[in-house]
Amino acid sequence: MVDEAALDDSLVAVLTRHGERRLDNFMLPDDGDWAALPQDPGNPITAAKVTLGAFLFHETALSTAPRHASNAGTYSCSTCHHVDAGFQAGRIQALGDGGMGWGVNGEARRRDPSYPPEDVDAQAVRSPTILNAAYQQAVMWDGRMGSKGPNAPTSARWIPGTLEGVNLLGFEGVESQAIAALTDHRSDVLAEWPVTDPAYADLWNAAYPGEDVSLVNVG
């Protein structure tokens, strides 16, 4: 039989380095306690942003820049960060534009046979989970997205027009990656939608009162 009390004591000792670190550093905030989450001063978390973001994360209407027009409206952020797959792709290689199918947790997604293989938005590395991403200053497997913390000394590589160029906006890695991903994964948000979409107008205006739709805000 497992001695759960002893196991808990051992875990606490490891996490705190035998008292050198505070245990509450490892406690996640309660649901809805947005102020307790790490956040970029340039992007304060609000309940309205969270509500809007939850919809946009799954919104296939953002996929308006595919390589072939027939694939418009067939992918979203959640295609490669599937909720039921721990916010990963559910398969070894994520397929955005040019993929088809879903399955229970993304495992059944495959290349659309009518899509030329060279045009498929297939990821070269496994899509990382976005669980607890608020706690990351630098994002992506090699940590190149984000302008602060450990990434601050890498500014010489932030060249406009490149993926890393988004770091020039001055955000943490979560915001930087999300903004860059919209363009990199063939989504186009530089239009009046969702402000003019009745289903989104109220959500948008609650999250960004008086502000226009922009790549930065949607990211």
Side-chain angles (χ1 to χ4, degrees):
M1 177 177 287
V2 176
D3 186 338
E4 293 189 1
L7 190 61
D8 283 344
D9 289 342
S10 297
L11 180 60
V12 168
V14 171
L15 290 174
T16 63
R17 292 179 180 168
H18 299 281
E20 293 180 10
R21 298 188 297 198
R22 291 169 41 183
L23 184 61
D24 59 7
N25 286 341
F26 300 92
M27 301 295 289
L28 294 175
D30 293 331
D31 185 31
D33 185 5
W34 312 122
L37 283 170
Q39 51 198 282
D40 192 308
N43 180 37
I45 301 174
T46 66
K49 284 183 182 178
V50 171
T51 300
L52 174 66
F55 281 99
L56 292 179
F57 186 77
H58 296 88
E59 183 54 78
T60 56
L62 288 174
S63 58
T64 58
R67 288 287 170 83
H68 300 276
S70 61
N71 224 41
T74 64
Y75 53 94
S76 68
C77 301
S78 64
T79 301
C80 298
H81 299 282
H82 203 289
V83 176
D84 288 338
F87 288 95
Q88 290 185 292
R91 63 196 310 278
I92 293 175
Q93 186 177 43
L95 299 173
D97 176 27
M100 61 183 295
W102 300 97
V104 174
N105 59 11
E107 82 288 347
R109 192 160 180 83
R110 61 196 184 282
R111 182 178 71 84
D112 183 338
S114 69
Y115 231 73
E118 63 273 15
D119 289 346
V120 176
D121 182 22
Q123 307 313 300
V125 295
R126 186 164 188 157
S127 55
T129 181
I130 61 168
L131 285 173
N132 297 331
Y135 294 87
Q136 295 179 259
Q137 283 189 317
V139 174
M140 298 185 73
W141 288 115
D142 55 6
R144 69 183 185 271
M145 304 304 293
S147 64
K148 303 173 184 177
N151 256 14
T154 70
S155 59
R157 297 198 294 271
W158 304 350
I159 301 171
T162 66
L163 195 64
E164 291 84 356
V166 75
N167 290 335
L168 294 168
L169 293 171
F171 289 112
E172 301 270 11
V174 176
E175 287 85 359
S176 300
Q177 192 276 338
I179 294 166
L182 286 166
T183 299
D184 194 46
H185 297 303
R186 308 173 189 175
S187 295
D188 180 12
V189 298
L190 300 180
E192 285 306 303
W193 184 93
V195 170
T196 57
D197 186 325
Y200 273 104
D202 290 343
L203 292 173
W204 183 270
N205 291 327
Y208 295 105
E211 294 189 46
D212 293 333
V213 176
S214 69
L215 185 72
V216 171
N217 281 352
V218 172

